[in-house]
Amino acid sequence: MTPFARWAALPTVRSLGRSIARGRGGFAGSGVRRLHSLWRRSLQFRVATSTVLVTGVVVLIIGMLLVDQIGNGVLKAKRDASIGQATLGLEAATAQFDGLTPGDLNGIRQAVDQITSAPNPSAGGVPTGDLFFRAVRSTDDSLNRQLPVGLAVPSSLRQQVERGALAVQYAPITRPGNPPSSTPGLIVGQPVSTQAGSFELYYLFPLTAEQNTLDLVQRTVLIAGLALVLLVAAIAVLVTGLVVRPVRVAAQTAERLAAGDLAQRIEVSGEDDIALLGESFNDMANSLQQQIQRLEKLSRLQQRFTSDVSHELRTPLTTVRMAAELLYGSRQSFAPELARSAELLSNELDRFESLLAELLEISRYDAGVAQLETESVDLVGIVERAVLASRVLAERHGVELLVAAPGGPILADVDTRRIERVLRNLIGNALDHAEGKPVEVRLAADAAAAAVTVRDYGVGLRPGEAALVFNRFWRGDPSRSRLTGGTGLGLAISLEDIRLHQGWLQAWGERGKGAVFRMTVPRTAGDTVQSSPLPLEPLDTSALPVKPGSTAAVDLGSRPRAPLAAPDPARAGSDVQA
């Protein structure tokens, strides 16, 4: 049995192996998970482990071949030496039977005793003294009962000897005792033909020395192999560390750069490939720092320009407004063409003033000076005011404005002015794209958040446009006229207002099926929205809203609020923020 087989046969090793195989070890599960995590995260561990495994397999194969070759050589040498010694013994044994006849039983027995007990070659012994046992058999079974045989010869070996050939076979030697011990051995058998009859002479050579030699070789190969594997593993860890360490430094420096510390650089030493990588990284960081600083400067200039222009335009705008109001008030005495021009001038001045106000609001957000003035208010009342403020516009466009809201109040800590502005922008945007179809406003809340959705059934959005609708001055279809006279900044300001509340403002739409805008804000100031009580995508994208008079939606202008249909919780949690 090899050393590895003896080690694997130990009860403790077998028990541990079964525990790991069945997953019952107290540390097995967590240990495997830690190793798997380390394998995925550490390049150094992967390289070292792979090197150890490959080296171990190579050392195992080479060790097995080496032990096999040495074992074959030792056994072949022992076999050749045993055959040579048995040949010498055959000549001495033949001399012992000279002058004997088949009937001289006493002489035959004495000759056999001399052969089996004599320690020298002249009596049939072997010169090296490593013989363990000798036995003589006769082809006459009746004579065998009177000979001191004392050796159980394998039948296959004896059949070869009976045919007159020299035969060699490896067989274990069983020593008497309690318990009996077994030693590997080599049996050499050959026929002895004399005047006294035909005999079989067997020599049994112990292989204890050869087994000890092979055990020593196996132990040496095993220890040398383990030492080689450990040495290679240490070299792999060392060499990999030299490569991985600069990569880790680069990764940490990149993280600090991404966090805003643009002054971070990699310390470079040497002129090798790693040093070249560090220099290239530093050059890239310098370029990024310069570009970011340039962009920041341009952004500050742009913000300042927008703010300054907006402020500076107010003075001439006030003068123009005074003249326009004078003309507008006297338009009755003008010719029809001049009267229409005065009306257009007044309308465009109103739009220009709205644009200036929104530019100033955007500049506050860009400068980071916008602040919330939160208070606990009823969101239902804010929705009512936003809807009532949009009724005139809805009637002008021939759009039916429907509202679905809970029967009781919904309290939330919000900035009333900003939330009402968001709702007016969403409703105005929906009226602008409704194409004469109804616009539906829904309100719902749970313990953590409140949500309002504004849905139209008009032109809808193309794929990818839901992420663009909040960009400044973006228009889905430039060829469409703006019925509401919008500035193109309403949704962008609305998004900033909701972000200031730590909430969500999202959009959904399909071409020909309309669009949905959802506003979700936390009910407690300072909280962050985790989910919305209303789904973003409609449950039925083909149906028109319920007409006034149902329990699902009512017109605030004509009837009191009715309970809102319960939202689908499965869909409410799967929305994607635009």
Side-chain angles (χ1 to χ4, degrees):
M1 182 179 294
T2 63
F4 178 80
R6 288 195 295 270
W7 175 83
L10 293 175
T12 304
V13 176
R14 293 200 304 270
S15 176
L16 179 60
R18 287 193 297 268
S19 298
I20 295 176
R22 298 175 184 175
R24 298 185 307 190
F27 59 88
S30 59
V32 170
R33 287 191 296 270
R34 285 195 296 268
L35 287 177
H36 183 260
S37 176
L38 187 61
W39 175 269
R40 290 188 294 106
R41 296 171 53 188
S42 176
L43 175 62
Q44 190 173 13
F45 178 75
R46 288 201 303 272
V47 172
T49 304
S50 302
T51 303
V52 168
L53 291 177
V54 173
T55 305
V57 172
V58 173
V59 169
L60 178 62
I61 294 175
I62 294 177
M64 292 176 62
L65 293 176
L66 183 62
V67 171
D68 183 67
Q69 291 296 322
I70 294 175
N72 290 337
V74 170
L75 293 179
K76 184 177 184 301
K78 180 63 175 179
R79 177 190 178 97
D80 294 341
S82 300
I83 292 175
Q85 295 171 1
T87 302
L88 293 176
L90 176 61
E91 297 175 357
T94 303
Q96 290 291 331
F97 287 107
D98 285 345
L100 298 178
T101 61
D104 190 359
L105 297 179
N106 290 331
I108 293 175
R109 282 197 295 269
Q110 290 177 1
V112 170
D113 290 339
Q114 285 286 357
I115 294 173
T116 57
S117 59
N120 53 75
S122 61
V126 293
T128 59
D130 60 353
L131 180 63
F132 178 72
F133 193 82
R134 287 183 293 271
V136 178
R137 287 181 177 272
S138 173
T139 56
D140 186 355
D141 291 336
S142 61
L143 182 60
N144 277 332
R145 288 193 291 268
Q146 303 182 38
L147 299 179
V149 178
L151 173 65
V153 180
S155 59
S156 58
L157 178 65
R158 188 173 184 187
Q159 290 175 2
Q160 298 181 42
V161 175
E162 289 177 349
R163 289 196 293 268
L166 184 143
V168 181
Q169 183 173 335
Y170 295 100
I173 303 172
T174 303
R175 298 175 182 269
N178 189 18
S181 60
S182 180
T183 301
L186 177 65
I187 301 176
V188 179
Q190 52 190 343
V192 181
S193 299
T194 65
Q195 295 178 353
S198 297
F199 299 90
E200 301 166 5
L201 178 61
Y202 297 94
Y203 288 92
L204 196 150
F205 299 90
L207 300 178
T208 304
E210 287 74 15
Q211 181 64 45
N212 293 336
T213 301
L214 292 179
D215 291 343
L216 177 61
V217 170
Q218 289 177 351
R219 287 194 300 269
T220 303
V221 171
L222 179 61
I223 294 174
L226 290 176
L228 179 60
V229 171
L230 294 177
L231 179 61
V232 171
I235 295 175
V237 172
L238 179 61
V239 174
T240 309
L242 296 176
V243 178
V244 172
R245 193 175 300 111
V247 175
R248 290 175 179 171
V249 173
Q252 294 170 359
T253 306
E255 290 179 357
R256 289 192 286 267
L257 284 172
D261 189 359
L262 301 180
Q264 286 292 323
R265 296 294 184 271
I266 296 177
E267 184 178 354
V268 178
S269 61
E271 300 179 357
D272 54 9
D273 294 336
I274 299 298
L276 179 60
L277 173 63
E279 293 176 356
S280 301
F281 185 93
N282 291 338
D283 293 340
M284 179 192 68
N286 291 331
S287 177
L288 287 177
Q289 184 178 20
Q290 295 173 2
Q291 293 293 333
I292 291 174
Q293 290 175 348
R294 185 174 65 85
L295 292 176
E296 289 178 346
K297 183 178 180 180
L298 290 175
S299 178
R300 288 193 297 269
L301 291 175
Q302 181 182 8
Q303 295 170 11
R304 183 175 179 180
F305 174 78
T306 303
S307 179
D308 292 346
V309 168
S310 301
H311 282 289
E312 293 298 329
L313 286 178
R314 283 190 172 276
T315 300
L317 181 62
T318 302
T319 304
V320 175
R321 165 63 70 183
M322 293 174 61
E325 289 180 350
L326 180 61
L327 293 174
Y328 186 78
S330 304
R331 70 185 185 281
Q332 299 296 337
S333 60
F334 296 161
E337 295 82 2
L338 293 178
R340 178 58 179 165
S341 298
E343 293 177 355
L344 292 176
L345 177 61
S346 179
N347 292 335
E348 291 303 316
L349 283 174
D350 291 340
R351 182 177 177 183
F352 189 44
E353 286 183 340
S354 299
L355 177 60
L356 283 180
E358 291 182 350
L359 285 173
L360 284 173
E361 189 70 19
I362 283 291
S363 66
R364 293 190 188 96
Y365 279 113
D366 291 340
V369 297
Q371 294 181 353
L372 284 178
E373 298 178 0
T374 60
E375 57 180 337
S376 181
V377 297
D378 182 11
L379 291 180
V380 177
I382 298 178
V383 173
E384 286 182 359
R385 291 195 298 271
V387 171
L388 291 176
S390 304
R391 283 184 57 82
V392 175
L393 186 62
E395 292 175 356
R396 185 192 309 171
H397 299 152
V399 176
E400 188 176 13
L401 190 57
L402 306 175
V403 179
I410 298 178
L411 298 179
D413 298 335
V414 296
D415 188 325
T416 304
R417 178 181 65 88
R418 297 181 187 277
I419 295 298
E420 186 172 346
R421 178 170 62 189
V422 172
L423 293 176
R424 288 187 180 185
N425 284 331
L426 296 182
I427 295 174
N429 181 75
L431 294 174
D432 189 31
H433 298 84
E435 297 185 335
K437 299 176 183 178
V439 171
E440 183 184 63
V441 180
R442 285 181 173 268
L443 173 64
D446 56 24
V452 178
T453 59
V454 179
R455 182 185 182 186
D456 67 78
Y457 295 82
V459 63
L461 298 173
R462 297 184 181 92
E465 290 184 346
L468 302 175
V469 293
F470 300 106
N471 292 347
R472 300 175 186 182
F473 301 107
W474 183 85
R475 296 181 65 183
D477 188 356
S479 64
R480 292 174 54 86
S481 63
R482 290 187 178 273
L483 301 178
T484 60
T487 62
L489 293 174
L491 291 179
I493 294 176
S494 298
L495 180 61
E496 298 295 339
D497 284 337
I498 299 304
R499 283 177 175 172
L500 207 59
H501 283 82
Q502 301 296 318
W504 296 345
L505 185 58
Q506 302 158 284
W508 170 90
E510 286 188 11
R511 204 64 176 171
K513 296 182 180 180
V516 177
F517 287 80
R518 182 179 68 180
M519 177 195 74
T520 308
V521 293
R523 299 188 67 174
T524 303
D527 291 349
T528 302
V529 173
Q530 302 296 331
S531 62
S532 180
L534 284 175
L536 177 61
E537 183 178 348
L539 303 181
D540 185 356
T541 59
S542 60
L544 289 175
V546 181
K547 295 297 182 180
S550 71
T551 60
V554 297
D555 189 339
L556 286 176
S558 60
R559 298 187 60 178
R561 294 187 301 272
L564 177 69
D568 184 358
R571 301 176 69 91
S574 60
D575 303 334
V576 179
Q577 184 172 357

